[in-house]
Amino acid sequence: MTSVTPTLGIGTVEAAVEAALSTVRRNLDRFGGAYPGDTTVSDRYLLRPAENGIPEGGNRGWTTSFRTGTLWLAWELTGDEAFRAGAERDVDDFARRLHAGEDLDTHDLGFLYTLSTVAAWRLTDDEAARVVSLEAAETLMTRFLEPAGILQAWGDLSDPAQRGRTIIDSLMNMPLLTWAGEQSGNPAFADAVRRHTAQLRTHIFRADDSTFHTFYWDAETGEPLRGATEQGAFDESCWARGQAWGIYGFAMNFAATGDEGLLDAARRSARYFLAHLPADDVPYWDMVYTDGSDAPRDSSAAAIAVCGLLELAQVETDADLAVEWTERAHAILASLIERYAPDPAESSDALLRHSVYDLPKDVGVDEGTLWGDYFYLEALVRVSVPGWEKYW
Ligand code: GLY
C-alpha cells in the first residue's frame, strides 16, 4: 500500500478493491467474449447493440478496450488466470478487428490498442500483440494532417464535417504512438506526438484555463480556426471529462516529449478542474454547473482526474505541487468510494455509478460507463500497488 492521506484509509481502499473485483468477475462470467454496451442502462450492462454489419456483442466503437484493460488490472491485482484468459481472448479479437478493417476510422485506436494489445505485450511479452500494436499505430498515423500537424479525431478524412477537427480526448491516444516510436525507432511517431500536443496546448485553452472540447484547423492551410463542443453544454462551456482528459493527457505527454509547455498545460487543466468541483469533489457533467445544481454528475471524469493527478504528481518538478495533486486525488477517490461505488456491489453492473456519456444526445446519462469502471480500478491500483506501471 502506498502512503495514503487521512481521507483515504487502507481498509477503505482494500474493501473498494474487493467490491470492484467481485463485479469484474460477475461481468466476465456473464458476458464471456461478448462486449457490453458503452454504458449501463438502469445500472445493468446489456450486450453491445449490432451496428454497421457488426453483430450484437461485437467489437466496435471506442470503449471495448476498457473492458480488456479492466481485466488486465484484475489479473494484476489477483493473479487469477480467469482474468488473464478473458483479457487474452479480447486481445485476439482486437487483432481480428484490425486485420478485418472493422471500425478503424477514429483516433481512438490509441485507447483501443493501448489497453488491449500494448498491455498484453507489457504484461506478458506477447510478441503477436506487439506486432498488432505497431500495425494499429501505423493506421493511427494515417490520420496525421499536414500542414496543420494534428491527428484528425473522427470520421473519414474526407468528411467535411470532421476534416481538420481534433479533440482534447486525443491526448490519451498519443501513448500508442510514443510506444510505437520506442519500439520501431521510427522518429515519425514521436514527431507526430510532439506536433499534435503542441497544437493542443496552444489552442485548446481559454484564458481562464478551461478547455474547449474540440478545435478545428483548416486542413488545407493548417490555420487554427475555432473551438467548439460536441459533448459539452455549449461551445464556450467546459465539459468536465474533457478537462480531466487534459490533466492526464498533458501530464503523460510531458513525460513522453519533455515539452515544458505540456507540464504547464497539465497544471492549468488541474487547477481549473479542482477549483470548479462541488463540495463532494465529483464534478457535474459540465463545469458550468456548481453546487446546488440538479445537473447530473460525471463520476467517470472524477476517476480520470484521480489517475491524471497521480500521474501529474509523479512527473511534477515542484515538490509542493506534487503533494497538492496527490492529496486532492486521494480526496476525490475517497468520495468516489464512499458515494459513487455501488453499495452493495451487486446493485449495479458498473464499478462506478452516476456518469454521463453524452448528455446533449441523451446517451448514457446518470449511468455506469466502461471507461469510468476502468479508470476507477486504475485509480485503486495506483494507490494500492506500489510501483505499478501504467499501460499507457
Ligand atoms: N472520448 C470520448 C468521451 O470521453 O466521451
Side-chain angles (χ1 to χ4, degrees):
M1 177 73 61
T2 52
S3 61
V4 288
T5 42
T7 48
L8 192 60
I10 290 173
T12 307
V13 172
E14 284 177 351
V17 168
E18 278 315 306
L21 288 171
S22 72
T23 300
V24 178
R25 202 179 301 277
R26 177 159 44 86
N27 289 336
L28 178 62
D29 290 346
R30 181 162 148 238
F31 285 94
Y35 296 90
D38 299 314
T39 75
T40 57
V41 178
S42 302
D43 276 315
R44 297 295 161 205
Y45 281 118
L46 308 176
L47 280 174
R48 183 163 290 247
E51 199 174 285
N52 294 335
I54 298 173
E56 186 180 54
N59 189 353
R60 63 166 187 81
W62 70 280
T63 65
T64 45
S65 64
F66 291 110
R67 187 269 291 279
T68 319
T70 301
L71 290 170
W72 284 128
L73 292 173
W75 179 55
E76 286 207 85
L77 281 163
T78 62
D80 183 334
E81 292 300 323
F83 292 131
R84 174 175 173 168
E88 288 183 333
R89 178 168 49 197
D90 284 6
V91 166
D92 288 346
D93 192 52
F94 273 96
R96 185 207 54 75
R97 173 172 170 174
L98 191 77
H99 295 143
E102 283 178 7
D103 198 14
L104 305 180
D105 262 346
T106 169
H107 68 153
D108 288 327
L109 293 171
F111 280 121
L112 292 169
Y113 285 85
T114 299
L115 294 180
S116 59
T117 56
V118 173
W121 178 78
R122 289 193 194 278
L123 295 172
T124 71
D125 286 327
D126 180 338
E127 177 58 22
R130 191 184 83 89
V131 171
V132 172
S133 305
L134 283 168
E135 291 170 352
E138 293 281 1
T139 307
L140 179 52
M141 283 291 280
T142 64
R143 306 184 70 76
F144 190 70
L145 302 184
E146 295 282 13
I150 56 132
L151 283 122
Q152 182 174 316
W154 294 314
D156 190 284
L157 294 181
S158 60
D159 177 351
Q162 299 298 345
R163 188 146 170 78
R165 186 185 206 186
T166 190
I167 71 175
I168 191 163
D169 325 26
S170 66
L171 293 164
M172 301 297 291
N173 292 321
M174 298 301 108
L176 177 66
L177 300 183
T178 299
W179 174 87
E182 289 162 3
Q183 290 292 312
S184 66
N186 178 353
F189 290 110
D191 190 55
V193 172
R194 189 183 50 74
R195 290 179 62 196
H196 180 86
T197 55
Q199 286 284 48
L200 276 179
R201 70 162 159 69
T202 307
H203 296 290
I204 209 79
F205 286 96
R206 305 184 189 90
D208 66 356
D209 294 345
S210 67
T211 55
F212 293 108
H213 178 195
T214 87
F215 201 93
Y216 288 89
W217 278 259
D218 185 312
E220 312 312 322
T221 66
E223 187 194 346
L225 296 177
R226 68 190 164 87
T229 200
E230 180 70 22
Q231 286 160 255
F234 47 93
D235 284 347
E236 292 299 324
S237 76
C238 180
W239 179 51
R241 195 156 65 253
Q243 196 76 18
W245 291 136
I247 301 170
Y248 201 169
F250 281 124
M252 281 199 292
N253 285 297
F254 163 59
T257 61
D259 175 352
E260 295 278 342
L262 298 177
L263 175 59
D264 185 52
R267 289 173 177 161
R268 292 172 71 187
S269 303
R271 281 196 195 101
Y272 187 93
F273 186 90
L274 294 170
H276 290 81
L277 291 176
D280 78 352
D281 276 332
V282 173
Y284 293 94
W285 70 279
D286 191 294
M287 302 197 103
V288 290
Y289 303 107
T290 51
D291 268 321
S293 168
D294 61 2
R297 304 303 181 97
D298 183 4
S299 61
S300 77
I304 294 161
V306 172
C307 297
L309 289 165
L310 294 174
E311 183 68 18
L312 178 55
Q314 280 183 15
V315 301
E316 181 55 78
T317 53
D318 177 319
D320 291 338
L321 281 178
V323 171
E324 182 185 341
W325 307 138
T326 303
E327 289 181 351
R328 295 298 303 266
H330 287 186
I332 298 170
L333 182 55
S335 185
L336 288 176
I337 293 170
E338 187 184 339
R339 301 182 183 88
Y340 293 81
D343 183 16
E346 300 74 32
S347 61
S348 174
D349 292 343
L351 306 191
L352 209 51
R353 302 179 67 212
H354 306 305
S355 296
V356 168
Y357 183 1
D358 191 336
L359 191 136
K361 299 186 192 70
D362 196 22
V363 176
V365 175
D366 197 24
E367 293 288 352
T369 67
L370 290 181
W371 62 91
D373 292 355
Y374 171 80
F375 286 103
Y376 177 61
L377 195 58
E378 183 184 308
L380 291 172
V381 168
R382 279 177 175 268
V383 299
S384 59
V385 180
W388 179 76
E389 291 190 15
K390 64 185 184 298
Y391 307 152
W392 307 95

